[in-house]
């Protein structure tokens, strides 16, 4: 099936969002789809063709120097990051064979150059990534989860050298999502066991742990509002408090899925809405406070198909159907 991202923008009309455009390119499922922090770039990863990057305004694909796609494995996750020292966007992505790759945007010729690539540990799939800008010297702090139950934090310095801060093996938890707290502690969400934990930023020791009431297909954190939301792989998405006891705040109910597959979920509009995918061709937009469905966005002209990968930003939103 063709890769077909659909692009929505918030509207002032009766409908909350309006369709802007669709892009169609190579075949294959898409496992990563991310909008840059400035809202100008879109990156996606699919198959063994590596990462693709577009300028959103012009809808033109940008040139990248990253190669060796087949030997590095399928792109499994991706994030955009920036530093306090420079406004240049850095794209970081992980692969199914355990490679972590960094591409930096050149502001002069609008191309992306590979600045660092490393295979982590024994080469297990990188399941999740998150970033934190650490200092005025231009360092990036990257949290990484891998299929072999390891969570590690790395720094990429101004010379594009990757250095380890800590690496810990979790007892029973395969990390599905990671996120940084404001104080640089690391939130970890378990794929199969539904565990949520916080790791200390210095050494990875567990400082908080609780069990959610479901498995976790994906998770998103909104630190400012003190909440996180997970894909519960059953009847929709469930909201929890970061400092809570594991009891749900509310569930954002969707149609009952026909299959149990992980679906991405995210906060939008500064945490006012929760946006999530489905297996029925829809993207659901919920009011975070009430749980009410504000809108359902249709991918292409179909009521079937997996919408597993989405990305949102303050100004715009993308979704993709598998």
């Amino acid at each position: 099936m063709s890769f077909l991202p659909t692009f929505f923008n918030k509207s002032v009309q009766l409908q909350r969002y309006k369709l802007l455009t669709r892009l169609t390119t190579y075949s294959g499922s898409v496992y990563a789809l991310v909008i840059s922090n400035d809202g100008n770039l879109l990156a996606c990863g699919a198959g063994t063709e590596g990462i693709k990057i577009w300028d959103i305004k012009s809808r033109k694909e940008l040139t990248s120097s990253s190669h060796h796609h087949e030997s590095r494995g399928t792109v499994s996750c991706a994030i955009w990051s920036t530093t306090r020292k420079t406004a240049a966007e850095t794209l970081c992505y992980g692969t199914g064979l355990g490679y972590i790759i960094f591409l930096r945007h050149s502001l002069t010729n609008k191309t992306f150059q590979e600045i660092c690539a490393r295979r982590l540990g024994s080469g297990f799939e990188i399941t999740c990534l998150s970033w934190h800008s650490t200092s005025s010297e231009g360092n990036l702090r990257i949290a990484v989860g891998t299929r072999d139950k390891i969570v590690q934090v790395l720094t990429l310095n101004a010379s594009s050298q990757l250095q380890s801060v800590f690496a810990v093996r979790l007892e029973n938890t395969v990390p599905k999502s990671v996120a940084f707290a404001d104080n640089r502690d690391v939130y970890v969400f378990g794929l199969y066991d539904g565990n949520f934990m916080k790791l200390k930023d210095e050494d990875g020791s567990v400082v908080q742990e609780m069990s959610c009431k479901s498995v976790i297909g994906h998770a998103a954190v909104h630190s400012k509002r003190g909440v996180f939301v997970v894909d519960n792989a059953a009847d929709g998405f469930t909201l929890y408090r970061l400092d809570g006891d594991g009891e749900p705040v509310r569930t954002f109910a969707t149609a009952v899925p026909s299959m149990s597959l992980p679906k991405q979920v995210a906060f939008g509009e500064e945490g006012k809405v929760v946006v999530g995918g489905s297996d029925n061709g829809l993207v659901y937009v919920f009011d975070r406070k009430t749980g009410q469905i504000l809108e359902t966005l249709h991918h292409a002209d179909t009521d079937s198909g997996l919408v597993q990968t989405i990305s949102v930003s303050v100004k715009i939103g993308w979704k993709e159907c598998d």
Side-chain angles (χ1 to χ4, degrees):
M1 186 177 293
S2 298
F3 161 66
L4 182 62
T6 308
F7 177 37
F8 295 92
N9 198 9
K10 191 173 181 182
S11 174
V12 296
Q13 301 171 357
L14 292 179
Q15 284 187 311
R16 195 176 187 90
Y17 299 93
K18 64 178 181 179
L19 175 66
L20 291 187
T21 190
R22 296 186 177 104
L23 298 176
T24 305
T25 179
Y26 56 88
S27 299
S29 298
V30 172
Y31 301 105
L33 190 69
V34 284
I35 299 171
S36 61
N37 299 292
D38 61 9
N40 293 327
L41 302 169
L42 171 72
C44 72
T48 56
E49 297 188 37
I51 205 85
K52 302 285 185 178
I53 305 170
W54 281 273
D55 180 284
I56 290 177
K57 290 182 180 180
S58 68
R59 314 293 195 260
K60 293 182 179 179
E61 185 175 345
L62 304 179
T63 302
S64 166
S65 67
S66 183
H67 303 294
H68 314 293
H69 308 313
E70 293 186 1
S71 63
R72 290 175 173 174
T74 301
V75 175
S76 53
C77 51
I79 54 171
W80 288 100
S81 59
T82 57
T83 67
R84 299 174 187 177
K85 188 175 181 180
T86 174
E89 294 275 359
T90 299
L91 177 64
C92 172
Y93 66 94
T95 76
L97 294 180
Y99 285 91
I100 184 169
I101 296 115
F102 295 84
L103 303 176
R104 182 152 293 164
H105 192 202
S106 171
L107 299 178
T108 55
N109 56 16
K110 295 187 177 182
T111 61
F112 281 82
Q113 301 296 321
E114 184 176 299
I115 59 173
C116 181
R118 181 190 294 182
R119 196 176 194 190
L120 302 180
S122 301
F124 282 81
E125 176 193 359
I126 295 178
T127 54
C128 47
L129 293 165
S130 185
W131 74 281
H132 191 285
S133 181
T134 61
S135 71
S136 59
E137 283 72 34
N139 294 342
L140 287 174
R141 197 174 181 94
I142 307 293
V144 186
T146 49
R147 182 69 62 174
D148 56 346
K149 304 178 184 177
I150 291 178
V151 173
Q152 56 187 304
V153 170
L154 309 163
T155 58
L156 183 75
N157 64 26
S159 300
S160 301
Q161 296 173 323
L162 203 58
Q163 299 170 323
S164 177
V165 177
F166 70 77
V168 294
R169 184 183 294 274
L170 307 178
E171 186 175 351
N172 298 308
T173 298
V174 176
K176 177 57 181 176
S177 297
V178 290
F180 278 103
D182 292 338
N183 65 353
R184 300 197 314 188
D185 286 350
V186 179
Y187 298 120
V188 181
F189 302 87
L191 174 59
Y192 301 116
D193 56 9
N195 276 352
F196 161 78
M197 61 185 68
K198 184 196 288 187
L199 306 183
K200 192 173 180 60
D201 71 312
E202 296 174 353
D203 56 10
S205 57
V206 178
V207 295
Q208 179 188 357
E209 187 171 8
M210 70 183 189
S211 178
C212 298
K213 302 300 182 182
S214 69
V215 299
I216 297 175
H218 187 267
V221 172
H222 201 291
S223 294
K224 183 178 179 180
R225 301 192 182 273
V227 293
F228 67 91
V229 62
V230 304
D231 164 35
N232 64 35
D235 58 354
F237 309 96
T238 307
L239 187 74
Y240 296 87
R241 298 195 185 282
L242 287 169
D243 59 356
D245 57 3
E247 289 299 318
V249 176
R250 67 181 50 86
T251 294
F252 307 97
T254 65
V256 178
S258 59
M259 59 189 76
S260 182
L261 290 173
K263 300 175 294 296
Q264 202 161 1
V265 61
F267 289 101
E269 299 181 28
E270 298 182 341
K272 295 178 182 177
V273 301
V274 170
V275 185
S278 72
D279 68 345
N280 57 11
L282 299 176
V283 165
Y284 291 90
V285 183
F286 299 92
D287 182 278
R288 177 185 59 82
K289 287 187 175 181
T290 67
Q292 176 187 359
I293 295 178
L294 298 175
E295 197 164 345
T296 53
L297 308 177
H298 291 260
H299 174 82
D301 298 317
T302 177
D303 291 326
S304 62
L306 299 175
V307 184
Q308 287 186 278
T309 312
I310 63 170
S311 182
V312 302
S313 79
V314 175
K315 297 179 181 179
I316 48 183
W318 279 84
K319 71 179 182 70
E320 188 277 331
C321 182
D322 212 359

